[in-house]
Amino acid sequence: MRSLMRAWRIGRVLLRYRLDNLLDDTPAGRWLKLMRPFVPRASKHVASLSRGARLRMALQELGPIFVKFGQILSTRRDLIPPDVAAELTLLQDRVAPFDGLQAREMVELALERRIEDAYASFDTTPLASASIAQVHAATMHPGDGSGPRDVVVKVLRPGIRRQIAADIALLNSIASIVERAHPAADKIRPREIVAEIEATLAGELDLQREAANASLLRRNWQGSPDLYVPEVVWSHTAERAMTMERVYGIPSDDIAALDAAGIDRKALAAKGVRLFYQQVFRDNFFHADAHAGNIWVDATRRENPRFIALDFGIMGQLSSEDQYYLAENFMAIFNRDYRRIAELHVQAGWMPATIRIDELEAATRAVCEPYFTRPLSEISLAEVLVKLFRTAQRYQLTLQPQLILLQKTLLNIEGVGRQLDPKIDIWAVAKPVLEQILAERYSLHRVASEFRKRMPEMITRAPEVPRLLHAWLQQQVEGKHELRMRSHDLAELARVAQDGQKRMVAAILGTGLLVVAAVLFGLDAGGPRIWAVPAAAWIAGFGGLWALLAAWPRR
């Protein structure tokens, strides 16, 4: 019921801001038409606003998950109209703030001390306000160690956990319906995708974890001419409040300010692409919320500009297997080796082994070849990857939730890069960087280093090997060999049986409630009425329909 109420509220917001025309010819659009008579017409002020402003205000009202979606869209000026992108850019750090005095109280609760004891000064007017937290300027007491003097304090929005929990509940309900009704639910894996989103947002709600992310990223890029990460003040950091060094720079999408400062934007754009591949494939720790509001430019370095990273709530990591297969996929795309792309998708387990490689190769070629007729500087790598995934879905592609962050980050980085330099040749910049990283990662020196690292473990276990080998051989001779299996198929059968039991109970309950509704209607039950029908009959009827929907079998 909470999910239904949340869906109803989303529909009301879309209608109030006159955004229902964006969803015409979709199932959601048909539901919105049914809701229209029950929602007040948009005010004259709202009606006079541009479509971008109305979309921005609606996303802001709907909450942090929708604001995140708007932030991603704002970097894709090649996919959405410029007027809409300009408005969505305001979502990056100018979400409506909450009261500064309330923020002060929340910082005191988080740090368990008075604000005067923690800071020499604390400005209640926020510097920036985002979807999950807002930032205030402060200064440290002179005796607080050798850390930065000027700092910023980040504090969570009040009630944000409850709001995110409601959105996640709605997404889980939608995922449950998709899992039952969609013919390719086992490939889409909607519940796992929602779980990945939930884990990501949970990381953003723990500012101490964010501080640890910032500390590791700073260590990875300490002294780098390409990226600067501000220092964390650990003595003034807790789960709901975080203190960091205050930095100064120009947002990476403020082209006029960058030009006025004499920044070489072409060099900066190429550096941003290189940073992405180095973080993903060299460090395996990448900034996964890299929109312009979180990526600044150091204005003091004109000839050799560097980025300043902010907001470390969403960071990404990949398994060694995913790293390998992704890197090889990128190289295969760069080299137009369509056979290799098809083979890698099967080897990675993203597609079943029964798929014919030659058919998948032909489909991949059909997607990629039209792009390569254009100059490389005009080709969007992110767009190519999206179309490849859409094509692969026809061949039973299993979506990988752990790669969602990487895909989102690639969209962000490419969007920022093309804002800085619309003619950037991402392929020419990325290919040599990736080649160098792969050469270093799989070199003989790296293999020897890994072998030396694992040598103590191998030496420790070596004395057990003869005993284990003898025991195994004895079992074979005596016919006492034990076979132990952990079968995913058996686990799936158990899950299907359990789901079947739940659906049976739901079907019986739904049928019973519908019978009750019919009896109440036939006997003309008393109490309040809706359209001359007893309210009790309506409640029983809707309850029965909901239970039967829950019992609907998967296709």
Side-chain angles (χ1 to χ4, degrees):
M1 289 302 295
R2 285 197 300 268
S3 298
L4 281 175
M5 294 303 297
R6 178 62 170 157
W8 171 263
R9 180 172 174 268
I10 291 171
R12 285 178 59 89
V13 170
L14 293 176
L15 289 169
R16 193 163 64 248
Y17 287 99
R18 297 183 60 187
L19 297 172
D20 50 310
N21 59 334
L22 300 178
L23 298 173
D24 285 342
D25 302 324
T26 68
R30 291 191 288 271
W31 282 105
L32 289 175
K33 287 181 181 178
L34 294 175
M35 290 176 58
R36 195 172 294 160
F38 305 98
V39 178
R41 294 177 60 85
S43 66
K44 291 183 178 179
H45 171 67
V46 170
S48 65
L49 296 174
S50 67
R51 58 181 178 177
R54 286 184 278 115
L55 178 59
R56 172 178 58 80
M57 294 171 67
L59 293 176
Q60 184 174 313
E61 184 172 333
L62 287 173
I65 290 181
F66 297 89
V67 170
K68 287 293 178 188
F69 176 68
Q71 289 173 352
I72 297 172
L73 282 181
S74 70
T75 67
R76 300 300 296 166
R77 294 174 183 264
D78 54 330
L79 301 180
I80 60 176
D83 61 314
V84 175
E87 282 290 341
L88 295 183
T89 299
L90 301 178
L91 290 171
Q92 291 171 354
D93 58 2
R94 277 167 274 184
V95 177
F98 63 92
D99 184 60
L101 294 177
Q102 187 178 10
R104 176 188 172 113
E105 294 174 359
M106 294 179 68
V107 172
E108 289 182 332
L109 287 173
L111 301 182
E112 298 180 345
R113 60 181 120 168
R114 295 190 311 159
I115 207 77
E116 295 82 2
D117 297 333
Y119 305 99
S121 67
F122 182 90
D123 190 353
T124 55
T125 301
L127 286 174
S129 182
S131 56
I132 289 179
Q134 71 183 28
V135 176
H136 293 260
T139 57
M140 303 295 294
H141 288 294
D144 284 343
S146 58
R149 170 75 174 165
D150 293 331
V151 296
V152 292
V153 183
K154 185 174 183 178
V155 58
L156 292 179
R157 284 181 169 271
I160 190 64
R161 294 177 184 273
R162 183 172 60 253
Q163 188 174 0
I164 286 181
D167 286 336
I168 292 296
L170 175 61
L171 290 178
N172 275 315
S173 297
I174 295 174
S176 178
I177 294 173
V178 171
E179 198 173 54
R180 285 193 296 269
H182 200 285
D186 58 328
K187 304 301 177 185
I188 300 174
R189 296 157 72 180
R191 288 184 182 274
E192 292 187 32
I193 292 175
V194 174
E196 190 77 13
I197 295 173
E198 184 175 10
T200 299
L201 289 171
E204 285 202 88
L205 294 174
D206 185 349
L207 296 183
Q208 188 155 331
R209 178 175 175 176
E210 178 179 341
N213 291 338
S215 183
L216 175 56
L217 191 65
R218 177 180 172 86
R219 190 159 63 248
N220 288 345
W221 295 89
Q222 188 74 40
S224 169
D226 301 332
L227 180 67
Y228 184 80
V229 180
E231 180 184 354
V232 175
V233 183
W234 281 106
S235 59
H236 290 63
T237 294
E239 184 178 342
R240 295 175 180 267
M242 176 180 68
T243 305
M244 298 186 72
E245 169 191 3
R246 185 173 184 179
V247 292
Y248 301 87
I250 302 172
S252 58
D253 63 343
D254 193 343
I255 305 301
L258 292 173
D259 289 340
I263 300 295
D264 186 347
R265 288 195 282 116
K266 290 186 177 181
L268 194 64
K271 185 169 289 188
V273 174
R274 289 195 296 270
L275 283 173
F276 167 75
Y277 285 93
Q278 288 169 339
Q279 287 185 26
V280 173
F281 297 107
R282 186 194 68 187
D283 304 334
N284 192 23
F285 191 71
F286 59 93
H287 196 302
D289 197 16
H291 60 74
N294 291 338
I295 305 296
W296 289 2
V297 179
D298 188 345
T300 63
R301 302 164 61 96
R302 297 184 178 183
E303 301 301 326
N304 186 23
R306 69 174 174 181
F307 289 98
I308 300 172
L310 302 171
D311 194 348
F312 310 95
I314 306 179
M315 305 297 292
Q317 285 183 287
L318 301 171
S319 68
S320 58
E321 291 80 8
D322 283 336
Q323 271 191 303
Y324 170 77
Y325 286 116
L326 277 170
E328 290 293 327
N329 264 290
F330 277 123
M331 290 305 303
I333 293 174
F334 292 150
N335 295 324
R336 308 186 200 182
D337 188 345
Y338 307 124
R339 181 81 176 186
R340 180 65 174 155
I341 294 172
E343 291 172 346
L344 287 168
H345 275 66
V346 175
Q347 291 173 12
W350 301 343
M351 306 186 74
T354 55
I355 293 297
R356 286 184 56 179
I357 296 295
D358 57 337
E359 290 186 5
L360 185 57
E361 177 189 2
T364 303
R365 185 185 303 113
V367 170
C368 294
E369 276 301 313
Y371 284 96
F372 290 114
T373 61
R374 308 191 323 232
L376 289 179
S377 60
E378 298 178 8
I379 299 176
S380 166
L381 178 58
E383 186 178 341
V384 173
L385 288 176
V386 168
K387 289 200 173 183
L388 276 176
F389 274 115
R390 287 178 182 171
T391 300
Q393 284 178 8
R394 299 204 308 266
Y395 293 86
Q396 303 179 43
L397 171 73
T398 299
L399 296 182
Q400 305 298 310
Q402 73 274 20
L403 303 183
I404 291 176
L405 276 182
L406 182 75
Q407 296 170 20
K408 166 181 172 291
T409 305
L410 181 59
L411 289 171
N412 283 340
I413 292 297
E414 188 168 308
V416 170
R418 293 203 182 278
Q419 282 181 303
L420 293 170
D421 179 13
K423 295 297 183 181
I424 183 174
D425 187 343
I426 292 178
W427 303 71
V429 174
K431 184 178 178 180
V433 176
L434 192 55
E435 285 178 336
Q436 180 183 356
I437 292 172
L438 289 178
E440 293 174 356
R441 175 174 287 274
Y442 303 111
S443 65
L444 290 176
H445 176 74
R446 179 66 178 268
V447 172
S449 176
E450 289 293 323
F451 186 79
R452 285 196 301 270
K453 187 188 300 182
R454 298 182 182 275
M455 181 64 74
E457 179 184 356
M458 295 169 63
I459 293 174
T460 301
R461 295 182 180 275
E464 301 178 13
V465 173
R467 179 180 60 81
L468 294 173
L469 180 59
H470 177 267
W472 183 81
L473 290 172
Q474 187 173 8
Q475 286 179 354
Q476 306 307 308
V477 172
E478 296 177 359
K480 296 180 179 179
H481 180 69
E482 295 182 3
L483 180 62
R484 297 182 181 180
M485 299 177 60
R486 290 184 179 181
S487 172
H488 293 291
D489 293 335
L490 291 176
E492 180 66 15
L493 286 174
R495 187 188 66 79
V496 170
Q498 187 177 16
D499 286 348
Q501 292 176 353
K502 291 180 179 178
R503 288 200 301 272
M504 183 181 297
V505 172
I508 294 172
L509 177 62
T511 304
L513 286 173
L514 288 177
V515 171
V516 169
V519 170
L520 290 173
F521 177 73
L523 295 178
D524 196 18
R529 294 175 175 273
I530 302 175
W531 292 324
V533 178
W538 280 109
I539 295 172
F542 276 120
L545 289 174
W546 181 261
L548 287 176
L549 179 61
W552 194 269
R554 296 192 185 102
R555 294 182 183 178

